[in-house]
Amino acid sequence: MRKASNLDKIRWLIVYSGDLVLLMGLFGVFDLHLRWQMGVPMPVAVIAATLVLIVIVLASRTIRVAIRGGPRPTAMLAVSGAVVLLLAVFPIMWVMPVWLAAVTPFVRRRTLLLLSFASIVLVNGYEMVVNGFNPLLLLVQTLFTALCAGGVLANLWLWRIAKEAHEGQEAKARLAVSEERLRFARDLNDLLGQSLTDIAARTAGAEQALPAAPESAAREMFEVRDLARQTLREVRLTVQSYRALDLGEVLAGVRAVLEAADVRCTVTAEPGELAAETRTLLATALREGATNVLKHSKAEHCTITIKEGILEMSNDGVTGPAGEHAPNGLGGLAQRVSTAGGALSAAPTPEGAYMLRVVVPT
């Protein structure tokens, strides 16, 4: 048996609270008991009491249908309405509000008001003809009618709000899953983009060195092979566990790759005691910055500074205005940093360099 959800519990609460209101119709049975003591034949009183119970049960069933969102139970409404008409010979005031509660979910508000007014006029008119005007009867029936019909309306309104809130939570959960998938896709793109760029750069270097220094080219190709294997392992680990990146390893790898591409690096790293999420975010930003240096610049020198949750990465290889951030590159990284409560900026500096600056909370 599945565990009840919060929405199920709310539905039960609404249904059973509605039942408690409908059970006030049992005052009709007490009314019949008094009439029996006043001379009404017992068989007639018993049959009438049974009919009162039938109205209550059918009203409870129709309200459950409304909560489930099912079609209008015309047969049950018609039967309970016919029973109410039969009981009008007494008349028993208590069953009419119960029937009005049953029809409330399936009629317009104007129709409900007209039916309520008609029931009050009918009972009190009959009482006025037989015994004279009874203001207490008018007050009690009006209050009971308002309680039954208004209670059902309030319960249906609460049920709609609860359903909308539940659906909103489910949509939020689906959105969170989608965002996590997009985040994973961006990280995988960063990983493969950096690694494949490294492989391409080293392969190009080996190709240039091959005519003059075949042994050096061979060593470079062995390193390319090892890098390809390492990339494959990292992709597998990322797919399997979406592991956190090690800032120190990424920093060392980025420096080695940039220097292999003839980009001199000046590194000042004092990360301090940072949370694992912060270190991973800085490592991701560092990789993205290195990828941009290799792919989109002709840099000869790159400066990397990491201190107290702030990464600054500048290079001298960008000329002219910078384009917009790619959604799977700096654009996606900026979104991740912003979600974590940080800030990212990437733009040319007055000194003629291009600066990537990432600030994340420590």
Side-chain angles (χ1 to χ4, degrees), residues 55-350:
V55 172
I56 295 173
V57 171
L58 290 178
S60 176
R61 297 298 301 170
T62 56
I63 291 176
R64 280 169 167 75
V65 171
I67 294 295
R68 291 199 306 268
R72 181 172 60 188
T74 305
M76 286 192 289
L77 292 175
V79 170
S80 58
V83 172
V84 170
L85 290 177
L86 287 175
L87 292 172
V89 299
F90 285 95
I92 299 178
M93 176 269 294
W94 305 99
V95 295
M96 290 187 179
V98 173
W99 181 78
L100 288 172
V103 302
T104 294
F106 307 103
V107 298
R108 296 180 179 179
R109 302 296 174 261
R110 182 181 301 176
T111 304
L112 179 62
L113 289 174
L114 291 176
L115 290 173
S116 301
F117 180 76
S119 67
I120 294 173
V121 170
L122 176 63
V123 172
N124 285 272
Y126 180 87
E127 179 68 16
M128 185 180 298
V129 171
V130 176
N131 300 315
F133 177 64
N134 187 346
L136 181 60
L137 175 64
L138 175 62
L139 177 62
V140 172
Q141 185 181 6
T142 302
L143 291 177
F144 189 38
T145 300
L147 178 62
C148 288
V152 172
L153 286 175
N155 278 347
L156 292 175
W157 176 70
L158 289 174
W159 175 240
R160 284 194 295 268
I161 291 179
K163 284 182 62 179
E164 290 173 0
H166 182 74
E167 291 169 357
Q169 289 180 347
E170 289 185 342
K172 185 178 180 180
R174 290 193 297 268
L175 180 61
V177 171
S178 299
E179 288 180 347
E180 185 63 20
R181 288 175 178 172
L182 290 174
R183 176 183 172 186
F184 175 78
R186 287 196 300 266
D187 286 351
L188 194 60
N189 173 76
D190 295 340
L191 173 64
L192 289 177
Q194 172 68 32
S195 299
L196 294 178
T197 300
D198 297 348
I199 291 173
R202 291 196 171 193
T203 302
E207 181 181 7
Q208 293 176 358
L210 182 61
E215 293 181 358
S216 176
R219 286 195 300 271
E220 190 71 17
M221 290 307 299
F222 280 126
E223 292 181 1
V224 169
R225 181 197 62 185
D226 294 339
L227 179 59
R229 290 175 177 175
Q230 179 183 354
T231 300
L232 180 59
R233 287 195 298 269
E234 289 181 350
V235 169
R236 286 174 176 171
L237 287 173
T238 301
V239 171
Q240 291 174 358
S241 60
Y242 195 26
R243 68 182 182 87
L245 298 176
D246 185 88
L247 180 58
E249 291 180 0
V250 172
L251 183 59
V254 164
R255 182 173 188 172
V257 169
L258 290 177
E259 289 181 346
D262 294 328
V263 180
R264 293 180 292 108
C265 286
T266 301
V267 177
T268 303
E270 298 176 5
E273 296 295 328
L274 299 178
E277 294 81 3
T278 300
R279 298 177 69 90
T280 297
L281 197 55
L282 290 175
T284 304
L286 188 61
R287 277 187 166 182
E288 183 62 29
T291 300
N292 288 339
V293 169
L294 294 172
K295 292 175 62 177
H296 305 302
S297 75
K298 299 179 181 179
E300 296 181 356
H301 183 261
C302 180
T303 301
I304 301 173
T305 303
I306 302 176
K307 187 175 182 180
E308 297 179 355
I310 300 175
L311 165 67
E312 292 183 347
M313 189 173 185
S314 65
N315 71 86
D316 60 358
V318 177
T319 58
E324 295 183 356
H325 300 160
N328 289 330
L330 286 179
L333 180 60
Q335 183 179 358
R336 282 191 59 185
V337 172
S338 176
T339 302
L344 180 148
S345 61
T349 65

Side-chain angles (χ1 to χ4, degrees), residues 29-76:
V29 177
F30 180 71
D31 189 359
L32 288 168
H33 175 72
L34 295 178
R35 292 172 187 263
W36 168 66
Q37 290 181 337
M38 295 171 60
V40 174
M42 177 168 290
V44 175
V46 170
I47 293 174
T50 303
L51 293 178
V52 170
L53 295 176
I54 290 174
V55 172
I56 295 173
V57 171
L58 290 178
S60 176
R61 297 298 301 170
T62 56
I63 291 176
R64 280 169 167 75
V65 171
I67 294 295
R68 291 199 306 268
R72 181 172 60 188
T74 305
M76 286 192 289

